[in-house]
Amino acid sequence: MSLFNFQGKAEIKHFNARKEGPDEDKTLALDLKLTAKTGSAALVFFDEQLESFLYLPGTGAVRNQMMEPLKYKHEVQDCELVIAGCRFHGVRVSKFQIEPLDGNQLWLTWQCSFQPMKDECATLAELLQEEVDVYVAAQPDLFGAEESAPSVTFTTALTEGGGQDDPLFDEACKSVMQSGRASISSVQRQLRIGYNRAARLIEGMEQVGIVSPMQSNGSREVLTTR
């Protein structure tokens, strides 16, 4: 099976904190349900024939309208997850769902299960129903068992215009270029705006080449100071 790799914006749809392990040594665990819009090319992760089954060739229109999301039992162990500035290892990714959309797009939903610290759990709880920057990727087997497996990358489908249409876009760009920091939290503090709006502004800066795409460590680089 192909390696799973997602990078982009995703919404935290569901948050479930629980205890796992033997009674005498239970540890805090967290299940996060995430959803994001992405392109249909990544459907090869589930089935090589799935894209041609769901979409009309040449038009990108949905061929088969689903009454319910398609559900897949794929499970990916030992992933790395970077979300809201927190990094986790040994993450299990499972419970995939797909809802096809016209234009060769789809809604992808999945669950990340991992062990957070208490303060990290509180941080993520505050972002429920919010869009956040997410990087999650399967780690290849160091002993070579999956070394030759191809990596299928899911990326967020960009919306037309994005944060460039925001009246604060120029001010946000100036702030980022002067400070050299391309984080959503820094834009929030500088402009006194909400998380979603700051995230759209950062995304707009990426589209015009002011900041880099999100890197594997969850950070972005400021590419210009003009």
Side-chain angles (χ1 to χ4, degrees):
M1 184 174 68
S2 302
L3 297 179
F4 177 75
N5 186 334
F6 175 86
Q7 183 169 338
K9 292 281 189 301
E11 181 182 344
I12 301 177
K13 298 291 289 184
H14 181 71
F15 177 100
N16 177 48
R18 55 185 172 80
K19 295 284 188 176
E20 66 178 13
D23 291 339
E24 65 277 9
D25 189 27
K26 287 189 176 296
T27 57
L28 178 65
L30 186 62
D31 298 321
L32 284 184
K33 184 178 180 180
L34 301 167
T35 188
K37 185 184 288 188
T38 187
S40 63
L43 289 172
V44 68
F45 174 75
F46 302 100
D47 188 322
E48 292 184 356
Q49 306 300 319
L50 189 55
E51 183 172 11
S52 60
F53 172 74
L54 291 176
Y55 299 93
L56 292 169
T59 68
V62 176
R63 181 199 302 271
N64 294 292
Q65 298 288 344
M66 303 296 167
M67 298 296 292
E68 295 183 355
L70 292 172
K71 298 181 180 181
Y72 285 86
K73 295 182 179 179
H74 291 54
E75 187 170 296
V76 189
Q77 302 284 348
D78 297 324
C79 293
E80 177 185 11
L81 170 66
V82 180
I83 180 171
C86 302
R87 179 187 295 273
F88 307 97
H89 295 280
V91 177
R92 177 168 57 88
V93 181
S94 61
K95 298 186 178 180
F96 292 95
Q97 295 185 15
I98 294 169
E99 295 181 71
L101 302 170
D102 289 335
N104 286 112
Q105 302 293 311
L106 61 95
W107 283 109
L108 172 70
T109 302
W110 72 98
Q111 178 174 286
C112 288
S113 302
F114 53 94
Q115 294 181 347
M117 302 294 288
K118 287 186 178 179
D119 57 341
E120 294 170 330
C121 196
T123 297
L124 294 172
E126 292 177 355
L127 295 173
L128 182 63
Q129 306 300 322
E130 296 278 353
E131 269 194 341
V132 295
D133 283 323
V134 174
Y135 170 81
V136 57
Q139 302 303 294
D141 189 338
L142 296 179
F143 296 98
E146 297 181 4
E147 187 174 359
S148 60
S151 177
V152 177
T153 300
F154 297 77
T155 56
T156 305
L158 298 177
T159 56
E160 190 72 25
Q164 300 170 51
D165 297 329
D166 194 302
L168 289 178
F169 183 69
D170 289 342
E171 186 177 348
C173 292
K174 182 178 179 180
S175 173
V176 165
M177 289 187 289
Q178 288 180 342
S179 67
R181 298 185 61 189
S183 69
I184 295 172
S185 59
S186 65
V187 171
Q188 278 186 276
R189 289 193 298 270
Q190 290 293 328
L191 303 183
R192 299 180 182 274
I193 58 177
Y195 185 96
N196 284 349
R197 189 176 183 185
R200 287 192 294 269
L201 288 168
I202 289 289
E203 184 178 276
M205 292 182 218
E206 177 187 335
Q207 293 178 37
V208 299
I210 293 176
V211 304
S212 71
M214 187 170 62
Q215 300 169 0
S216 60
N217 62 2
S219 66
R220 296 175 184 267
E221 180 183 354
V222 180
L223 302 177
T224 180
T225 57
R226 59 178 172 81

